[in-house]
Amino acid sequence: MRRDGASCTTPTSGSSPSRSGLPDLDRQGQISGKPRDLWGGEARREPNRSPGSRLRHLRPLIGALWAILVAAVPALAGTLDRAGIERHFPTPLVVGERDDKIPVWPILKQEAGSYEVIAYAFESIDFARIPGFGGTPPNLLIALAPDGSFRDAKVLSHHEPVFLEGLGSEPLFAFVEQYVGLSAKRPIRVGRPGARANGAPPATTVDGISMATASTRVVNETMLAAALAVARAKLGFGAGPAGLRVEAKPDFEPLSVAELERRGWIRRFTLSQAQADQAFAGTGVENADPGDEPFTDLRIAYLNVPSIGRNLLGEAAFARLMRELGPGDHAVLVVSSGRWSPIPEDFVLGSIPDRLTIQQGGLAVNARDAAWERRDLAPALPAGPWTIVKITEAAGFDPSASWTLALRLTRERGQILPEKIAREIGTDYALPPELFLRQAPDAGPDWTESWRARGWELGVIAAALGLLVPVLARQRGLVAQARPFSLLRLGFLAFTLGFVGWYAQAQLSIVTVVGLVRAAFHTGDLGFLLYDPPSLLLWAFVIVTLGVWGRGTFCGWLCPFGALQEFAALAAKPLRIRQVAVPPALDRALRQAKYVLLALILGAAALGSPLADSLAEAEPFKTAITLYFLRSLPFVVYALGLILLNLFVYKGFCRYLCPLGASLAVLGRLRLLDWIPRRPECGSPCQLCKVRCRYGAIAPSGRIDYPECFQCMDCVTIIHDPKQCVPQVLARRRARRTAPQRVAAE
């Protein structure tokens, strides 16, 4: 296809020939009119602040939030009409009549006096509405050739925060262009950046993008799910049970391996060396070293059927496998013996096998190694390499219909810069339909892979949160010991910055709140949250702790940028930088700025305005944490400026500008407990805690301003320390003075 930006005239449209540039995708992820080529502890309640009074105080806010949640959600659909499609497929191509059943446009080319369909063009949002991290699904224009290959692919719109004013949209454009020439008949995975240059099979792998792993997975799933739906409807591929879930019946019959093979429930496939050589006939590499044993000898079994899986794995292992599979998922066992194995020695558990593919209806089924612990199988099976591959529900796999296990054999020709030649040899597998039940599936994207791939990160973060809760809750424990608690706090903040922020990329952001608002108004789908497991785990923890401690747990302990500011503030003392005392009246006014900014962001998001993404850039999180300061100069200067401001006005950004902190402060007003202990002397006459509070969260009266409290616990340490708490110090002094008088009197 041409990529010169010209439009075309179709014989069915009646329009005259015209030329126009392709619409440009601007930084906000929307189509603009500018022409551009897109191809290229202790608790105490204050008597006057009951939970009921708090709820009454926040009733208007709760009503507004409820209105957002119950707002009508318009359906999403493609945006291109005939003229829009014609701009993307210029002459000599011709856009035919749109299909009367599904939103697909045939793309024609004149050959020998007649028009031939060379592709079907469609928008992904009509077939796969998988929300990204901006809360809305990416929309891709895809052209699928009749042989199932991607003839063209480009981004029409997106709201992925990491690309908007971050990495820029260009890396996303280049990522999607990698699909051109690949086949929807084969599973396509997202590899590491530069994966194909480092030896990954170019026919099955696209290069990922650093710092955008979750977003590229959303785009990859969108691309494949939409292509699969069109392939089933228009190309005759994968004519499986779209709209149906096929599951194995729970019936069990004890059977030996020999009986399973006799019934065909275990498929044995033996390939001789001569047969392997014959597949390469005429290539110059058909002659290989002969051997007495088979080239490969495989046993293949579908494990979801209890009479197969339980007999091969044992009852306990089979039950564990079924628990690990998601609803609608499938597991296939492949056991190998012989000279060649489809499971090589360097095979990585959990990866997509390169040497074997499961196919059904002419399409490859997306299958991945289930990372199953390698243990002994049934004694009657060979002791060679084996794998259990998992097929997710999204693949539309029908285990009750015949399917094919295809082996990919590769040989090299030539000594210098050898050429790789690949051939596929397959064997069919089929089970009796009476072993299965058919039922309607639950719609939804496959997000479980992200959770399993990041399981160890989730475990580390969960362990850290499990440590944090008792430390903060037991105020007379470690918190009361100033020096040990200070060291613990610095260590935890280092973990938050290094692991949670820079490594796990789990910096919470107002962008997620924007996505929730957009989902409420435009998509109704919160599935985008499931593609970032560490962040979702932190969100769940933060929401729970909002009802106990308020905003401070996140802002004081779990915010990577907040931790970065605290470490930067440590340099103020050796540099002899004195903190600026903001006048109380100005301080109160500045604290309202973050609430105004929050209202503007949420209002823009509710109206569907891209201004929400621009206003969200008030957060420096993307620059400092997500992108490691590798960003355009204005954003880097802004982030560094806030860190520099922090040396003079402690956590000035958090106190005055942070929209995420504002949202947590608002929700934190629903807190049920006033958990910071107070004494009658607090505020009058003692002002020690107020003077020591660097956040200005303690009023002269001694009252704690919880929406502004960052849970540093300094005041808690003071009030439990008899050497620091002024009322306790004075009480001890009085006791020492009165003791001699009592002795003399006696």
Side-chain angles (χ1 to χ4, degrees):
M1 289 188 178
R2 288 177 54 188
R3 299 188 172 188
D4 56 4
S7 65
C8 70
T9 303
T10 73
T12 57
S13 65
S15 60
S16 60
S18 65
R19 289 186 177 271
S20 64
L22 294 177
D24 181 32
L25 189 74
D26 62 22
R27 291 286 185 140
Q28 301 302 329
Q30 302 294 330
I31 295 178
S32 69
K34 179 181 177 182
R36 180 183 174 195
D37 188 356
L38 286 185
W39 305 104
E42 293 182 18
R44 179 173 68 88
R45 298 184 188 273
E46 296 183 10
N48 62 341
R49 296 191 65 198
S50 66
S53 65
R54 291 192 184 96
L55 291 174
R56 287 191 296 272
H57 179 70
L58 293 173
R59 191 169 294 162
L61 172 65
I62 296 172
L65 293 175
W66 179 254
I68 290 176
L69 292 176
V70 301
V73 179
L76 293 178
T79 59
L80 296 180
D81 55 11
R82 172 183 291 281
I85 293 291
E86 288 176 347
R87 285 197 297 269
H88 292 281
F89 299 97
T91 53
L93 302 178
V94 174
V95 178
E97 291 290 345
R98 175 173 159 165
D99 191 280
D100 57 355
K101 295 181 180 179
I102 59 174
V104 172
W105 300 83
I107 307 300
L108 313 173
K109 186 176 182 179
Q110 190 171 16
E111 296 285 350
S114 62
Y115 286 95
E116 175 187 355
V117 176
I118 64 167
Y120 291 94
F122 54 93
E123 295 178 64
S124 65
I125 204 167
D126 288 322
F127 299 94
R129 298 166 187 169
I130 303 172
F133 282 86
T136 56
N139 191 19
L140 314 173
L141 178 61
I142 303 171
L144 200 63
D147 64 357
S149 63
F150 290 99
R151 194 72 181 255
D152 238 319
K154 65 178 70 172
V155 180
L156 292 177
S157 65
H158 76 94
H159 285 88
E160 294 305 292
V162 71
F163 296 111
L164 298 178
E165 298 297 346
L167 296 173
S169 292
E170 288 75 12
L172 181 59
F173 299 159
F175 172 79
V176 170
E177 286 182 351
Q178 295 179 88
Y179 289 83
V180 176
L182 303 185
S183 176
K185 294 182 179 181
R186 299 187 61 83
I188 300 173
R189 61 173 180 156
V190 179
R192 296 180 180 274
R196 295 200 288 184
N198 293 326
T204 58
T205 305
V206 290
D207 294 339
I209 302 175
S210 296
M211 300 168 284
T213 303
S215 292
T216 52
R217 286 189 176 185
V218 169
V219 172
N220 182 64
E221 185 177 348
T222 298
M223 180 78 71
L224 298 181
L228 183 61
V230 173
R232 285 174 173 159
K234 297 298 296 182
L235 307 184
F237 299 123
L244 290 178
R245 178 188 294 167
V246 183
E247 294 181 342
K249 292 181 179 178
D251 305 335
F252 172 71
E253 179 182 1
L255 298 170
S256 66
V257 171
E259 178 61 20
L260 289 171
E261 284 195 20
R262 189 191 67 80
R263 295 188 181 187
W265 296 4
I266 294 180
R267 173 77 166 94
R268 183 173 183 178
F269 176 55
T270 303
L271 185 68
S272 68
Q273 183 67 59
Q275 290 172 316
D277 290 344
Q278 182 61 33
F280 290 90
T283 64
V285 291
E286 61 270 19
N287 296 320
D289 294 334
D292 295 332
E293 60 181 324
F295 178 74
T296 190
D297 191 6
L298 305 180
R299 272 78 169 179
I300 308 158
Y302 176 76
L303 295 179
N304 291 51
V305 175
S307 296
I308 303 175
R310 279 181 59 183
N311 285 313
L312 295 182
L313 302 179
E315 185 172 354
F318 175 75
R320 181 161 62 94
L321 175 63
M322 292 300 103
R323 287 195 301 268
E324 293 184 7
L325 293 178
D329 293 350
H330 311 271
V332 173
L333 171 69
V334 179
V335 183
S336 169
S337 62
R339 302 176 59 192
W340 178 88
S341 173
I343 307 99
E345 293 181 359
D346 59 352
F347 180 72
V348 178
L349 298 183
S351 64
I352 297 176
D354 293 329
R355 294 186 178 182
L356 61 86
T357 304
I358 293 177
Q359 302 173 355
Q360 189 171 59
L363 281 177
V365 176
N366 195 6
R368 177 182 294 273
D369 179 80
W372 189 257
E373 183 180 355
R374 267 39 181 175
R375 293 182 178 179
D376 293 336
L377 300 172
L381 288 175
W386 60 272
T387 181
I388 294 176
V389 292
K390 170 191 168 185
I391 304 169
T392 64
E393 179 189 10
F397 179 70
D398 181 3
S400 66
S402 177
W403 51 272
T404 300
L405 181 77
L407 304 180
R408 183 179 178 85
L409 312 181
T410 305
R411 295 181 181 178
E412 293 186 353
R413 178 171 58 192
Q415 299 295 325
I416 302 175
L417 300 176
E419 175 189 3
K420 289 187 177 182
I421 301 175
R423 293 291 184 269
E424 282 191 354
I425 300 178
T427 181
D428 293 335
Y429 182 95
L431 291 174
E434 55 266 21
L435 293 177
F436 299 93
L437 296 170
R438 292 172 175 263
Q439 62 183 21
D442 297 326
D446 176 28
W447 48 265
T448 57
E449 181 181 340
S450 299
W451 287 76
R452 294 181 182 178
R454 308 190 70 178
W456 78 274
E457 296 175 25
L458 294 171
V460 171
I461 295 175
L465 299 178
L467 169 67
L468 181 61
V469 169
V471 168
L472 298 179
R474 298 183 60 186
Q475 295 184 5
R476 293 188 180 274
L478 187 61
V479 177
Q481 305 176 45
R483 180 63 177 171
F485 180 72
S486 176
L487 294 176
L488 171 71
R489 178 168 170 76
L490 288 176
F492 199 94
L493 290 176
F495 166 80
T496 295
L497 175 61
F499 187 86
V500 175
W502 284 333
Y503 184 84
Q505 293 284 287
Q507 167 76 65
L508 302 190
S509 170
I510 193 64
V511 170
T512 304
V513 182
V514 170
L516 292 174
V517 174
R518 282 175 171 158
F521 276 95
H522 304 294
T523 67
D525 190 346
L526 302 180
F528 69 95
L529 297 171
L530 299 173
Y531 286 88
D532 190 4
S535 295
L536 186 57
L537 174 61
L538 286 175
W539 272 115
F541 181 82
V542 169
I543 290 173
V544 171
T545 56
L546 278 174
V548 181
W549 291 307
R551 162 195 184 181
T553 307
F554 171 73
C555 295
W557 292 86
L558 296 172
C559 177
F561 186 75
L564 178 60
Q565 289 184 95
E566 292 212 29
F567 284 117
L570 296 177
K573 187 173 182 179
L575 293 176
R576 299 183 179 180
I577 298 176
R578 297 184 62 181
Q579 292 282 306
V580 175
V582 182
L586 178 59
D587 178 74
R588 288 192 297 271
L590 290 176
R591 290 179 189 270
Q592 304 308 309
K594 60 180 178 286
Y595 297 103
V596 174
L597 180 59
L598 173 65
L600 291 174
I601 292 174
L602 297 186
L607 295 174
S609 170
L611 181 61
D613 300 307
S614 298
L615 292 174
E617 289 296 336
E619 285 185 340
F621 304 162
K622 187 189 302 180
T623 301
I625 304 301
T626 306
L627 301 178
Y628 313 107
F629 292 99
L630 301 175
R631 205 176 179 190
S632 59
L633 186 60
F635 294 101
V636 175
V637 170
Y638 173 67
L640 293 177
L642 291 176
I643 295 174
L644 181 63
L645 171 67
N646 174 65
L647 298 177
F648 299 91
V649 180
Y650 187 68
K651 285 199 169 182
F653 167 76
C654 304
R655 293 159 61 185
Y656 302 138
L657 285 176
C658 182
L660 177 63
S663 66
L664 297 179
V666 171
L667 296 176
R669 293 180 183 274
L670 298 175
R671 178 194 80 261
L672 299 178
L673 301 176
D674 294 331
W675 56 273
I676 297 178
R678 300 279 82 195
R679 297 182 184 276
E681 298 86 352
C682 292
S684 178
C686 182
Q687 293 284 316
L688 179 61
C689 290
K690 176 187 178 302
V691 173
R692 293 274 188 91
C693 182
R694 294 179 290 179
Y695 303 97
I698 302 179
S701 64
R703 180 184 61 83
I704 305 296
D705 187 359
Y706 284 96
E708 299 298 330
C709 175
F710 283 63
Q711 205 172 1
C712 67
M713 308 295 282
D714 285 350
C715 61
V716 178
T717 300
I718 292 172
I719 206 167
H720 287 303
D721 187 351
K723 295 181 181 180
Q724 294 190 72
C725 181
V726 174
Q728 295 187 68
V729 172
L730 295 177
R732 285 203 316 275
R733 288 179 181 176
R734 286 192 298 266
R736 284 198 298 267
R737 285 197 301 266
T738 58
Q741 298 175 6
R742 290 176 182 172
V743 171
E746 292 174 356

